[in-house]
Amino acid sequence: MLKVLVINCGSSSLKYQLFNMKDQSVLAKGLVERIGLEVGMLKHMPYCKDKIEVSDNIPNHKVAVKMMLDALLDKNHGVLKDISEISAVGHRVVHGAEKFSGSVKITDEVMDVLKECVAIAPLHNPPNIVGIEAAREMLPDVPMVGVFDTAFHQTMPQYAYMYGLPYELYEKYAVRRYGFHGTSHCFVSAEAAKMLNRPIEELKMITLHLGNGSSITAIKNGKSIENSMGFTPLEGIIMGTRCGNIDPAIVPFIMEKEGISPDKMNEYLNKKCGVYGISGVSSDFRDLEEAAKNGNKRADLALKMFSYQAKKFIGSYAAIMNGLDAIVFTGGIGENSATMRQMICKDMEYLGIKIDEAKNQVRGKQADISFEEAKAKALVIPTNEELMIALDTMSLVKTA
Ligand code: ADP
């Protein structure tokens, strides 16, 4: 039985899922949190067995990988008898820059290139690299694959990915737009084509991955031609705690007025802004919807800003594709919030979008929420980045 382990490392966390690729079922999944902090925690959820939680000092990702493997092998809560049952490991990597337009088998040379990418993704790639290194050390004989959030968007045309900055900055520092959440956009667009029972090669789609981080993609004939995120995942629509598009002149202005250093400013724009900064309530849309219902004006404003900006992207993406067959909602908000889907889809009949409020009351499962006669379909499709990573990993390992 082919078992593929998928690992997604953040700066202080490691998420994992072990798949049985025969039927794509999840054998176990889990999360190691608070790595490097005083007390860390492993939560391990095996399929058909009791889950466990272990708190311990988890000083680094190597220890986290060891804890994950121990849990997978545990007599009572594990799902493996021997570590050799793991056929391959797939790693999520945030930024592949222009170096990777698809997933790759990890070698020493690939590791060197990944390290080069840190220059343009200092916030996101280091934890991914640390996780890969730890896994390679603990599982030296297991083939590993890197799957990049940016890869799917490498089909964006140059006139879409360039900024209006001197061309030399692109040549010297690779400053350009990359786009993110590619694994998710790719997965849901393929699922959407299946749902519509049409070849993806003839579809014009807009996929909205709306979660803590949100991005929107224009997918024409199966290829990403535009994504709302840019050089980093800060660009685009307003997000949970990220500002999204702002006038760049605001950045030095605030730095000067508030005495903020470049490092701190990056953190500020990533962590203190977005709907959280606007509302002062929360970055979680459940809290915002509740607060808005109870009359909180700033929570209401944050929700209106989010839906308005999503609507603007949809309009502009329909324009660049010269039409629209479907919009797809995914991510925690897209999959679960009927309110937000309704706000975004309101008054878009001109694009052929018309959603049925009864059908829209769906949560977390695939559904067509449009009226029968709607020319452009509105679909809800739960994303499954882990499965996509496992599938890519399997196909690369098989063909090796
Ligand atoms: P990430 O980008 O971290 O992967 P998710 O895609 O899991 O995040 O999305 C998490 C967000 O989804 C939460 O912050 C919350 O705002 C939103 N969310 C989850 N469930 C609901 C719901 N029922 N209604 C509204 N928003 C929800």
Side-chain angles (χ1 to χ4, degrees):
M1 183 165 61
L2 202 59
K3 289 171 188 161
V4 174
L5 178 65
V6 173
I7 296 181
N8 179 358
C9 271
S11 55
S12 65
S13 69
L14 182 159
K15 289 186 206 151
Y16 62 92
Q17 279 194 29
L18 182 70
F19 286 90
N20 171 2
M21 298 312 290
K22 233 178 173 177
D23 57 2
Q24 301 184 354
S25 61
V26 177
L27 296 167
K29 60 180 172 181
L31 167 69
V32 188
E33 285 176 300
R34 300 175 58 83
I35 301 170
L37 302 176
E38 213 162 291
V39 185
M41 164 84 92
L42 164 108
K43 291 180 188 157
H44 175 71
M45 289 157 280
Y47 180 68
C48 278
K49 283 185 178 174
D50 292 338
K51 57 182 178 187
I52 38 167
E53 291 191 4
V54 184
S55 52
D56 203 347
N57 179 252
I58 310 172
N60 54 47
H61 284 77
K62 202 174 142 190
V63 176
V65 170
K66 168 99 175 46
M67 281 180 84
M68 167 191 71
L69 293 176
D70 286 347
L72 289 169
L73 287 163
D74 188 85
K75 253 200 227 122
N76 299 318
H77 306 276
V79 290
L80 297 174
K81 286 207 175 63
D82 193 275
I83 213 72
S84 63
E85 287 172 50
I86 300 175
S87 315
V89 177
H91 291 273
R92 178 197 182 198
V93 184
V94 173
H95 214 311
E98 288 184 335
K99 313 276 185 192
F100 301 103
S101 54
S103 304
V104 283
K105 239 182 123 186
I106 291 172
T107 59
D108 291 342
E109 292 72 40
V110 166
M111 289 308 289
D112 290 342
V113 181
L114 283 182
K115 285 174 191 161
E116 280 171 33
C117 295
V118 168
I120 58 170
L123 283 184
H124 300 93
N125 275 25
N128 301 151
I129 292 172
V130 170
I132 298 173
E133 281 174 339
R136 289 183 96 203
E137 215 177 311
M138 304 297 290
L139 299 164
D141 301 322
V142 181
M144 303 203 182
V145 168
V147 180
F148 301 89
D149 274 25
T150 46
F152 181 58
H153 304 299
Q154 279 295 299
T155 44
M156 264 160 59
Q158 191 177 21
Y159 53 78
Y161 70 65
M162 291 298 285
Y163 289 111
L165 296 167
Y167 197 86
E168 296 78 49
L169 293 184
Y170 167 61
E171 293 176 313
K172 273 208 277 199
Y173 309 117
V175 174
R176 51 158 279 187
R177 305 182 56 248
Y178 290 96
F180 294 87
H181 288 140
T183 313
S184 176
H185 290 290
C186 179
F187 178 80
V188 298
S189 61
E191 288 295 304
K194 280 191 228 160
M195 273 176 87
L196 297 170
N197 204 16
R198 286 177 63 186
I200 198 164
E201 292 76 17
E202 61 180 45
L203 287 170
K204 294 169 181 171
M205 269 191 263
I206 299 171
T207 50
L208 297 97
H209 179 110
L210 309 177
N212 283 321
S214 294
S215 74
I216 304 176
T217 301
I219 302 174
K220 193 174 181 185
N221 310 334
K223 291 201 165 64
S224 166
I225 61 161
E226 180 63 278
N227 175 267
S228 57
M229 286 178 164
F231 183 57
T232 76
L234 192 54
E235 188 179 329
I237 179 177
I238 181 173
M239 303 174 218
T241 58
R242 297 181 213 156
C243 59
N245 290 346
I246 58 171
D247 182 338
I250 296 169
V251 178
F253 178 81
I254 295 178
M255 285 169 73
E256 202 195 319
K257 291 277 178 211
E258 299 270 317
I260 303 177
S261 66
D263 268 12
K264 285 270 172 289
M265 192 61 192
N266 202 11
E267 193 183 312
Y268 182 80
L269 296 171
N270 272 286
K271 303 252 169 79
K272 302 271 185 244
C273 300
V275 292
Y276 166 74
I278 290 290
S279 67
V281 170
S282 170
S283 62
D284 191 307
F285 279 63
R286 286 163 289 204
D287 300 337
L288 293 176
E289 286 177 16
E290 188 62 31
K293 242 188 247 155
N294 294 330
N296 185 309
K297 290 223 162 55
R298 275 167 52 184
D300 184 59
L301 171 65
L303 293 172
K304 283 188 176 134
M305 287 173 71
F306 187 86
S307 61
Y308 174 76
Q309 293 187 17
K311 198 187 270 288
K312 282 209 295 187
F313 273 105
I314 293 172
S316 64
Y317 287 3
I320 60 168
M321 291 193 292
N322 188 23
L324 182 66
D325 294 300
I327 59 170
V328 181
F329 288 100
T330 194
I333 302 162
E335 291 166 27
N336 295 303
S337 175
T339 307
M340 188 43 71
R341 290 192 298 254
Q342 199 271 336
M343 287 172 80
I344 293 172
C345 292
K346 194 164 171 270
D347 298 331
M348 287 214 285
E349 288 84 4
Y350 78 103
L351 278 179
I353 298 171
K354 225 178 142 201
I355 68 166
D356 180 333
E357 252 329 291
K359 292 186 192 166
N360 186 34
Q361 296 312 310
V362 67
R363 276 192 55 187
K365 59 175 187 217
Q366 282 199 2
D368 179 345
I369 57 170
S370 27
F371 276 111
E372 201 84 24
E373 71 272 17
K375 286 210 190 74
K377 295 295 169 197
L379 308 174
V380 176
I381 303 182
T383 194
N384 195 341
E385 289 158 291
E386 291 80 11
L387 175 61
M388 186 85 194
I389 293 172
L391 289 168
D392 259 22
T393 300
M394 198 175 72
S395 69
L396 276 173
V397 168
K398 262 193 178 165
T399 53

